[in-house]
């Protein structure tokens, strides 16, 4: 197969033995790393497509771009030869820009703006769905040569996101609509349905495919020659889900109503199936509040993280997802657990990510990891309150790389790997520069929100050395609480603080934490010491 697009416009990291968790751990240990980020596993997407071809060999996937339009997702799928379900002119242009042929696109929005229809005509993207009479008149006016697919309504009873109340003509009303298409001289080539996104019960596809067969017959009776069946989306995509039951029901129904050799091409429009498990989100606990009862004992803990329902977790509101975090740092499970809630970073009370779960007591700065966050997350996220969207880090297992190289030919080049390092370093430097300014400004507020934390008896050094990252609010807080080694000056600066870790010491200096004239590092090994030999750093 020939590669039709530039592979990896961005950069990716090749994984050897490392797991996604290893990558996340490594990233969180980077100096100053506090922002939430995604890790996208290309291997997971390639695996999904391989499994699809194995389980549903007769059904060609047309990926629903709206589910996640990250450029690498689209590039990989273009390279693997899938088709694309686009809902707007922007999505169509995005796919064409990858070098994908028009025949691999279905404009699967039954209610299209006229300007988008005109552009589809101009770009010669003929395959499109409709489900109402007005749309037929529009198509007749702007793109009469289009190849039309009638979308019928068949609803899975308990879909995560039902679609039937908005789209699809009832099978009983399809005949009249087809007659209008015929009167207008339009070309109906097939039948589509979408049983609902996150369809819970795969037996519905049997009913849907059987209904589609009836509409095929009605269309034929009117003189059309339909040859395309589009079974839509609805397939599950989390790492714990399986395509098996869906494939079994669909294959059985296809054998019954559209047996092999009948001349009908079968496509589907999977969205969440392709991307849900490929994206893992890492978020940082930026603040917490401990709630005590009247007797003063701890009843619950509220954690505030730096991504919420206005960002990636919009999937909770729009896509009705249940999200579950895992702790990045393994913890002793025998430690007491507390009723906890998790909140996003914005100032809106609606911004709650998890209403209730049991967690051990976690410090600020701890990382929470959210698997299965690839579907309907980044695409519909905003930056309300000025919180930026998480960046996406792309990784690809070595074996996946070899597979792509073998199956996609010489067009895959590994040159991006060299470029990556430089780019990453630049990005990292820039991030550090921006990060330090931001942290300095935010130090005071961060300090107050973290102050609800109770310290377990330990030394400052122990605390600091355990941290994967450190920020100024927390240093200040510890400095105040811990007697001895360090004290907080009247102007809120730190004096005579001892650091066991050079990076943490540098972090504090970089952040402009030392009062004027007190900015030097003092190494316990004396002025002749080389950095590599130093073990202790003091301020003041
Ligand atoms: C959203 C959508 C899809 C994708 O649905 P999933 O349930 O994510 O697979 C497919 N087709 C159409 C027309 C859609 O609107």
């Amino acid at each position: 197969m020939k590669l039709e697009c530039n592979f990896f416009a961005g950069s990716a990291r090749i994984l050897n033995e490392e797991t996604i968790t290893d990558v996340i751990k490594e990233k969180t240990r980077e100096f100053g790393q506090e922002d939430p980020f995604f890790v996208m596993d290309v291997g997971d997407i390639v695996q999904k497509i391989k499994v699809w071809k194995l389980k549903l060999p007769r059904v060609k996937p047309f990926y629903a771009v709206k589910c996640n339009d990250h450029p690498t997702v689209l590039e990989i799928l273009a390279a693997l030869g899938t088709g694309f379900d686009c809902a707007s002119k922007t999505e169509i242009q995005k796919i064409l820009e990858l070098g994908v042929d028009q025949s691999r696109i279905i404009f699967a929005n039954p209610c299209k703006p006229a300007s988008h229809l005109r552009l589809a005509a101009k770009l010669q993207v003929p395959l499109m769905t409709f489900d109402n009479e007005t749309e037929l008149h529009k198509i007749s006016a702007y793109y009469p040569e289009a190849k039309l697919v009638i979308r019928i309504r068949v609803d899975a009873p308990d879909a995560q996101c039902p679609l039937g109340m908005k789209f699809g003509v009832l099978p009983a009303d399809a005949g009249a609509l087809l007659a209008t298409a015929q009167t207008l001289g339009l070309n109906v080539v097939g039948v589509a349905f979408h049983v609902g996104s996150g369809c819970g019960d795969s037996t519905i596809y049997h009913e849907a495919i059987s209904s589609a067969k009836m509409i095929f017959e009605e269309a034929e009776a009117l003189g059309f020659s339909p040859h395309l069946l589009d079974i839509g989306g609805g397939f599950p995509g989390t790492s714990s889900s399986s395509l098996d039951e869906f494939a079994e029901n669909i294959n059985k129904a296809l054998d019954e109503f559209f047996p092999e050799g009948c001349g009908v091409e079968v496509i589907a429009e999977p969205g969440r199936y392709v991307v849900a498990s490929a994206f893992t989100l890492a978020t940082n606990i930026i603040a917490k509040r401990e709630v005590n009862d009247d007797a003063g004992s701890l009843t619950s803990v509220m954690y505030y993280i730096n991504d919420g329902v206005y960002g990636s977790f919009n999937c909770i509101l729009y896509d009705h997802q249940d999200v579950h975090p895992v702790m990045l740092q393994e913890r002793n499970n025998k430690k007491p657990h507390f009723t906890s809630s998790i909140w996003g970073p914005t100032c809106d009370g609606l911004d709650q990510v998890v209403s209730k779960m049991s967690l051990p007591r976690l410090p600020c700065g701890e990382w929470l990891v959210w698997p299965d966050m690839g579907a309907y997350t980044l695409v519909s996220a905003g930056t309300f309150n000025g919180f930026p969207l998480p960046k996406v880090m792309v990784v690809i297992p070595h074996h996946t790389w070899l597979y792509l190289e073998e199956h996609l030919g010489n067009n895959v080049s590994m040159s991006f790997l060299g470029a990556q390092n430089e780019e990453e370093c630049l990005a990292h430097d820039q991030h550090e520069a921006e990060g330090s300014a931001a942290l300095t400004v935010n130090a005071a507020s961060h300090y107050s929100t973290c102050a609800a934390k109770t310290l377990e008896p330990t030394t400052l050094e122990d605390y600091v050395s355990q941290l994967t990252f450190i920020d100024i609010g927390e240093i200040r807080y510890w400095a105040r609480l811990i007697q001895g080694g360090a004290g907080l000056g009247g102007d809120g600066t730190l004096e005579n603080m001892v650091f066991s870790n050079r990076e943490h010491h540098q972090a504090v200096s970089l952040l402009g934490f030392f009062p004027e004239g007190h900015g030097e590092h003092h190494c316990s090994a004396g002025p002749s010491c080389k950095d590599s030999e130093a073990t202790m750093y003091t301020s003041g």
Side-chain angles (χ1 to χ4, degrees), residues 64 66-67 85 108 151 163 194 196-198 232-235 269-272 376:
K66 79 166 188 284
C67 188
D85 153 11
R151 175 154 163 189
L163 298 168
H194 193 311
S197 192
F235 317 94
E269 301 162 352
R272 73 176 77 242
Y376 305 110

Side-chain angles (χ1 to χ4, degrees), residues 280-295:
T280 307
L281 176 65
T283 61
N284 193 259
I285 297 178
I286 52 168
K288 68 186 253 191
R289 184 194 307 275
E290 300 201 331
V291 181
N292 297 316
D293 61 16
D294 291 344

Side-chain angles (χ1 to χ4, degrees), residues 40-97:
M40 170 197 164
D41 181 2
V42 173
D44 199 87
I45 292 178
V46 173
Q47 186 65 18
K48 285 282 180 64
I49 299 300
K50 279 192 201 159
V51 169
W52 181 283
K53 286 183 174 163
L54 193 71
K55 308 269 179 180
L56 288 164
R58 290 187 56 203
V59 185
K60 187 173 177 195
F62 276 56
Y63 172 67
V65 176
K66 79 166 188 284
C67 188
N68 185 328
D69 64 353
H70 189 276
T72 307
V73 171
L74 303 180
E75 283 168 15
I76 290 289
L77 294 172
L80 291 171
T82 73
F84 294 89
D85 153 11
C86 299
S88 64
K89 65 178 181 185
T90 314
E91 288 186 357
I92 290 175
Q93 280 165 323
K94 225 177 234 179
I95 298 305
L96 290 177
E97 275 162 22

